[in-house]
Structure formats: C-alpha cells, structure tokens
Amino acid sequence: MSAERRDMDAPLAIEGHGSRKSYLVGFLLSVVLTAIPFWLVMSNVLENPGATSALVILFAVLQILVHTFCFLHVNTQAEGGWTMLAYIFTAVILLITIAGSLWIMYHLNSNMMPGMMPGQMAETP
Amino acid sequence: METTAGKIAASEAPLFYETGEGHEAHPASPTLLGFWIYLMSDALLFASIFATFGVLGTSYAGGPTPRDIFDLPLVALNTAILLVSSVTYGFSMLAMERGEIRTVQAWLAVTALLGLSFVGVELYEFSHLIAEGATPQRSGFLSAFFTLVGTHGAHVTFGIIWIGVMLVQVQKRGLIAENRRRLLCLSMFWHFLDVVWIGVFTYVYLLGMLR
C-alpha cells in the first residue's frame, strides 16, 4: 500500500503542472490572439475576406499552440514524451479528417450534381 | 546449466529498449496518460463534427445565413468567460501543489461559476435562435451548427458536474493523492475544452461571418 502511494505521489511531484508565470503568459497571449481576429472580423478592417480568413485561421492555430504549451503543458518531458506523441498523431488524423472531408465533398458537389455533367447539359430543361 | 547460460546471455544481451534515460522514459502516471489518450479520442469526435459542419455549413436551404443570426459580441463574451475559467482552474492547480485546500476549493468554485455562465449565455443564444425560427431542423447549416456547438456545451456541462463532485471529494478527503490525480485529469479536460472552443469560434462564428 505504501509503495503504491509513493508511486502515485512521485509522478505528481515531477509532473510540474505549470507555474503562475506560464498561466499568466498563456492568458495574456490568448487575450491578444483572441482580440485580434474578433476585431478583424467585427470592424471589417481588411476589405478582402480571403485575407481576413487566412489571418483568422493563423491566429487560431497560434492560440491552440499557446494553450497546448502554457495550459496543457504538452512538451517532450511530460509523461516521457507520450502526451506529445499522442497529440501530434491526433493532429495528423484531425487534419486528414477535416481537410479530406472538405476536399471530397467539394469535388462531389462540383462534379456529380445533376445537370453538371457535360453530356447532360443539353438534356436539362 | 541451461538456466545459468540463459542468465548470462540475458545480462550480456544488448537492451535495445533502453533509451539511456533509464526509468524516466516510462510514463509518469498511467492514469494521466490514459486520460490524455481519451481526450485525444474526444478530439477525433470533434474533428468529425467539425468536418460535418464544414460540408453542411453552406447548405442554408433558403433559411438564415450566419450573417443573419450570429451575434459576435455575445460570442466574444463567451470566449472571454471560458478563457478566464481556464486560468482560474490553473490557479486552483497551483494552490493544490502548495497544499492549500481552501484556496483550491475557492478557485474551483470560481471556475464552476464561470462555466455555468458560459453555458447560460449559450442557452440564451440557442433560445433566441429557436425563437427566430432558426431551429436545428431548418437547414443543414443549422443542424451542423447546433450539433457542434451543443456537443461542446454538453462537455462543459459535464465538466461543471465533475467540478461539483471534486468540491465534495476535496471537502471530505482533502488533497490526498487520488484526489490530486482526479483534479489533474479534470484540469486537462477543462483546458482541452478551451482548445476546442478556439476551433468553434474561429471556424463556425468568425469564418461564418466572412462567408
């Protein structure tokens, strides 16, 4: 029982779930990285919606990284690097799922909708 | 003889699985790592709902578009609430490392209240949309919207229930090793929900308004 307790305590001691500094730095960065995209969209700063979209996505990716390191404490040391490995693996699958779905469905829409096939063009009323 | 030979062979055999870091290479806590892997599977669930929203997000069926129904100041308020709640949970974890039970409970309670106000604002938004006729059955866009945002809201709700359970646990048993482990798992859960919300407010609300 006592050995089990020590096993339980040890990881918690070396885990190091952040410091006041890491939380405050993460919070300040998040505030900036949230305020800028909201400001870009709400006051329509850039005339070009494409450029605004690209910037908004960039800020989201940056903020997700800030949260991952400052709040979730994913790094090469935590849990012997396994959390980071699982995180990278998930990120890859996530990108494949979302980007792949959008890609396939976009092409299905543009190629397979009735009346869109070259041969059918004449037949449609 | 055979066993001795076996022992010698075993001791002289190169240990390919030793990484030079000794036992530090092992995961520090099986529970925390296991919970992390659960969260990653949850991320994949969200990925499929995000993909659904991406596919259906422009199918308005003649119904309202994001520009007609989204209220960005309200979303900004909700984002701020969730972000602050992440930091207050962090302060609770710092107090846990110092062993201050009262401070842990106080910050946990603040986090739960922030979580409740987040869910409250979201329900207010939903009720407004439904009152305006923008119900989930109106169009593919609205079905995907309510599924994605609702699933995140359900996660936050369960997080609040979990905080309530932990408040009782800490009150009854103090900061014993088991409770600290549970609080660390809840910490990952809460911060993870904040990460998912970044995806929601960017993908659904901000990019929706730009379409």
Side-chain angles (χ1 to χ4, degrees), chain B residues 130-189:
Chain B
I130 290 169
E132 288 170 6
T135 53
Q137 59 267 44
R138 179 65 190 81
S139 66
F141 154 64
L142 284 167
S143 303
F145 167 78
F146 276 97
T147 306
L148 176 53
V149 180
T151 305
H152 178 268
H155 275 74
V156 176
T157 308
F158 284 115
I160 296 166
I161 295 170
W162 193 354
I163 292 180
V165 171
M166 286 320 298
L167 280 172
V168 175
Q169 287 268 27
V170 170
Q171 182 64 36
K172 290 241 179 215
R173 312 241 179 252
L175 294 172
I176 57 172
E178 288 82 354
N179 275 349
R180 294 202 283 159
R181 190 187 65 217
R182 289 163 188 152
L183 284 169
L184 285 175
C185 285
L186 179 51
S187 157
M188 289 195 275
F189 185 77

Side-chain angles (χ1 to χ4, degrees), chain A residues 5 8-9 11-12 17-18 20 23 27 30 34 38 42 53 56 60 67 71 74 79 83 90 94 98 102 105, chain B residues 28-29 32 36 40 47 54-55 72 79 83 87 90 94 97 177-178 180-181 184 191 194 198 201-203 210:
Chain A
R5 291 249 171 214
M8 211 95 93
D9 279 345
L12 299 178
H17 266 252
R20 185 166 290 268
Y23 281 110
F27 179 68
S30 300
T34 306
F38 268 95
M42 285 167 84
S53 303
V56 164
H67 277 244
F71 294 160
V74 173
E79 304 287 339
T83 52
T90 307
L94 208 138
I98 297 178
L102 291 177
M105 295 313 288
Chain B
S29 160
L32 292 184
W36 178 255
M40 293 296 100
V55 170
L72 278 191
T79 306
L83 186 54
V87 178
L94 296 174
E97 279 178 3
E178 288 82 354
R180 294 202 283 159
R181 190 187 65 217
L184 285 175
H191 294 309
D194 211 0
I198 298 171
F201 82 68
T202 303
Y203 199 47
L210 289 172

Side-chain angles (χ1 to χ4, degrees), chain A residues 67-84:
Chain A
H67 277 244
T68 307
F69 295 121
C70 292
F71 294 160
L72 284 165
H73 313 297
V74 173
N75 52 51
T76 51
Q77 306 301 313
E79 304 287 339
W82 287 109
T83 52
M84 186 161 213

Side-chain angles (χ1 to χ4, degrees), chain A:
Chain A
M1 192 60 200
S2 66
E4 207 176 273
R5 291 249 171 214
R6 210 179 305 128
D7 275 358
M8 211 95 93
D9 279 345
L12 299 178
I14 59 167
E15 191 68 25
H17 266 252
S19 57
R20 185 166 290 268
K21 196 183 155 206
S22 88
Y23 281 110
L24 288 178
V25 167
F27 179 68
L28 288 177
L29 282 175
S30 300
V31 168
V32 173
L33 291 173
T34 306
I36 294 175
F38 268 95
W39 172 67
L40 283 177
V41 175
M42 285 167 84
S43 33
N44 208 3
V45 182
L46 305 173
E47 292 299 317
N48 182 0
T52 313
S53 303
L55 273 177
V56 164
I57 292 170
L58 174 73
F59 279 113
V61 170
L62 284 178
Q63 200 181 344
I64 286 173
L65 289 178
V66 166
H67 277 244
T68 307
F69 295 121
C70 292
F71 294 160
L72 284 165
H73 313 297
V74 173
N75 52 51
T76 51
Q77 306 301 313
E79 304 287 339
W82 287 109
T83 52
M84 186 161 213
L85 203 67
Y87 184 85
I88 294 169
F89 177 68
T90 307
V92 171
I93 301 281
L94 208 138
L95 267 179
I96 293 173
T97 309
I98 297 178
S101 300
L102 291 177
W103 189 33
I104 290 173
M105 295 313 288
Y106 174 78
H107 281 272
L108 278 180
N109 265 336
S110 52
N111 293 332
M112 306 274 290
M113 286 300 275
M116 292 298 196
M117 309 290 271
Q120 287 183 333
M121 283 302 216
E123 294 165 26
T124 45

